[in-house]
């Protein structure tokens, strides 16, 4: 709770100090969470079944060759020592060397990361305006036919897993209508029309999944704000429904809406793995799946940490926006 602050000259300074403390605590919590997640990622991948050296050399490899490769990759060292070396490398921007390609992991991830960010950016451009519009208007006309249609559609989409939506899109647009390619090879783009065709189905799938969650949470946040006494007072004074929502309700619903957007977009972290795999899209998630099949531990760990950092950055940014948008501390 915001501490009681008397009306004196140092009120503004105390308020700024309080807000700065909240933001500092939130950033500290994120850093601690990232440390715990990195610990979990390293040891979870280290416990994957099978021996990396044996997989790389094949079953016909001699024990001496396997032992030599394990020593070269430091796999014969204690796990905590390897974790410490890996963590120090991450802090210095060194993601390690791929076991399979013998190339820097950062080099392998580089181009794939651009593709993943491009896909996430396009989905965000479509999903956020669409979701805010439908969520806010559904809240304004709560209980109407329009609100019920939006609610039924969003609940229907939420109830269907993303791999089912992706598969249905392939059946409809590729198999039956033959409008779009079933696979998205982003490296084959030579014209704007090809860009539309390649990105269409991954964007449609992710937009459906992300928007449904965002519409539901935005609608709930706006309804909570509309029911507050100051919005009801504005309506009683003669303000129209649009004016009451846009000028009185929305400014105070920025925090919950920012959290709704962040939580929905963070779903891209999990959903993009399935979508990239189904459409063979050359992104970081597809690279991580390939790394799991070859047991390329540095590659898997780096991709997992990138997704964790993206998720934490979204949630932390939304929390800071909610703190700054709180009317009690403005």
């Amino acid at each position: 709770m915001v501490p009681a602050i008397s009306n004196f000259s140092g009120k503004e300074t105390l308020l700024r100090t309080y807000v700065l403390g909240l933001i500092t605590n939130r950033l500290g919590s994120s850093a601690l969470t990232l440390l715990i997640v990195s610990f979990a990622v390293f040891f979870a991948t280290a416990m994957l079944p099978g021996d990396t050296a044996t997989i790389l050399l094949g079953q016909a490899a001699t024990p001496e060759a396997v032992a030599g490769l394990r020593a070269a990759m430091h796999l014969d060292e204690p796990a905590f020592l390897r974790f410490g070396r890996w963590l120090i490398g991450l802090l210095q921007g060194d993601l390690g060397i791929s076991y399979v390609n013998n190339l820097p992991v950062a080099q392998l991830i580089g181009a794939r990361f651009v593709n993943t960010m491009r896909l996430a950016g396009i989905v965000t451009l479509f999903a956020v305006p669409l979701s805010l519009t439908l969520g806010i208007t559904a809240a304004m006309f709560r209980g109407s036919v329009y609100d019920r249609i939006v609610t039924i559609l969003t609940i229907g989409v939420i109830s269907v897993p993303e791999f089912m939506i992706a598969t249905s899109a392939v059946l409809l647009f590729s198999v039956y209508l033959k409008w779009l390619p079933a696979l998205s090879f982003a490296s084959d783009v030579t014209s704007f029309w090809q860009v539309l065709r390649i990105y269409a189905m991954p964007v449609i799938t992710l937009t459906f999944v992300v928007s449904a969650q965002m519409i539901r949470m935005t609608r709930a946040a706006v309804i909570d704000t509309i029911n507050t006494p100051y919005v009801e007072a504005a309506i009683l004074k003669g303000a129209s429904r649009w004016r009451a929502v846009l000028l009185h309700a929305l400014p105070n619903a920025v925090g919950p809406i920012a959290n709704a957007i962040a939580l929905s977009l963070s779903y891209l972290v999990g959903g993009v793995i399935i979508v990239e795999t189904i459409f063979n899209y050359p992104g970081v998630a597809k690279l991580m799946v390939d790394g799991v099949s070859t047991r390329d531990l540095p590659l898997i760990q780096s991709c997992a940490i990138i997704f964790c950092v993206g998720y934490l950055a979204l949630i932390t940014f939304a929390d800071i926006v909610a703190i700054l948008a709180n009317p009690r501390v403005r």
Side-chain angles (χ1 to χ4, degrees), residues 27 102 105 156 284 307 318 330:
L27 292 174
N102 200 27
V105 173
V284 176
F307 285 126
R330 279 186 303 195

Side-chain angles (χ1 to χ4, degrees), residues 58-204:
Q59 295 297 327
T62 62
E64 292 77 13
V66 173
L69 185 57
R70 286 179 58 81
M73 294 190 297
H74 304 289
L75 293 176
D76 56 342
E77 296 178 351
F80 278 97
L81 182 60
R82 286 186 283 134
F83 173 69
R85 182 184 292 112
W86 176 68
L87 193 61
I88 292 173
L90 282 182
L91 294 176
Q92 295 174 343
D94 181 12
L95 302 181
I97 303 296
S98 167
Y99 287 165
V100 177
N101 300 287
N102 200 27
L103 292 172
V105 173
Q107 181 180 339
L108 294 174
I109 291 178
R112 300 294 192 98
F113 183 74
V114 173
N115 288 337
T116 295
M117 292 305 297
R118 185 182 295 130
L119 177 60
I122 295 174
V123 172
T124 303
L125 285 177
F126 280 99
V128 172
L130 175 68
S131 304
L132 293 183
T133 302
L134 292 178
I136 293 171
T137 52
M140 290 176 62
F141 301 103
R142 181 176 43 162
S144 65
V145 174
Y146 171 75
D147 178 34
R148 293 178 183 178
I149 292 174
V150 172
T151 301
I152 292 172
L153 290 177
T154 51
I155 292 177
V157 173
I158 291 173
S159 305
V160 181
E162 58 269 21
F163 73 85
M164 184 64 72
I165 297 176
T167 306
S168 301
V170 171
L171 287 174
L172 177 62
F173 295 110
S174 297
V175 177
Y176 293 112
L177 298 178
K178 302 185 185 305
W179 289 353
L180 300 170
L183 302 179
S184 298
F185 297 107
S187 57
D188 296 339
V189 175
T190 57
S191 66
F192 181 72
W193 173 244
Q194 286 186 336
V195 172
L196 292 179
R197 284 171 54 81
I198 286 171
Y199 282 92
M201 285 209 286
V203 170
I204 289 172

Side-chain angles (χ1 to χ4, degrees), residues 198-236:
I198 286 171
Y199 282 92
M201 285 209 286
V203 170
I204 289 172
T205 303
L206 289 173
T207 299
F208 262 88
V209 176
V210 171
S211 296
Q213 301 274 2
M214 209 183 309
I215 290 169
R216 295 291 299 164
M217 289 190 284
T218 301
R219 177 183 178 276
V222 175
I223 286 176
D224 285 344
T225 311
I226 288 176
N227 291 332
T228 53
Y230 59 87
V231 176
E232 293 177 352
I235 295 175
L236 291 175

Side-chain angles (χ1 to χ4, degrees), residues 288-302:
M288 186 172 71
V289 173
D290 294 339
V292 171
S293 63
T294 57
R295 214 176 184 281
D296 195 346
L297 296 185
L299 182 60
I300 301 170
Q301 292 160 351
S302 299

Side-chain angles (χ1 to χ4, degrees), residues 30 33-35 37-38 41 90 113 269 301-317:
S30 297
T33 303
L34 185 59
L35 178 63
V37 168
S38 63
V41 166
L90 282 182
F113 183 74
V269 174
Q301 292 160 351
S302 299
C303 292
I305 284 296
I306 287 174
F307 285 126
C308 293
V309 169
Y311 182 87
L312 276 175
L314 278 173
I315 300 300
T316 304
F317 177 74

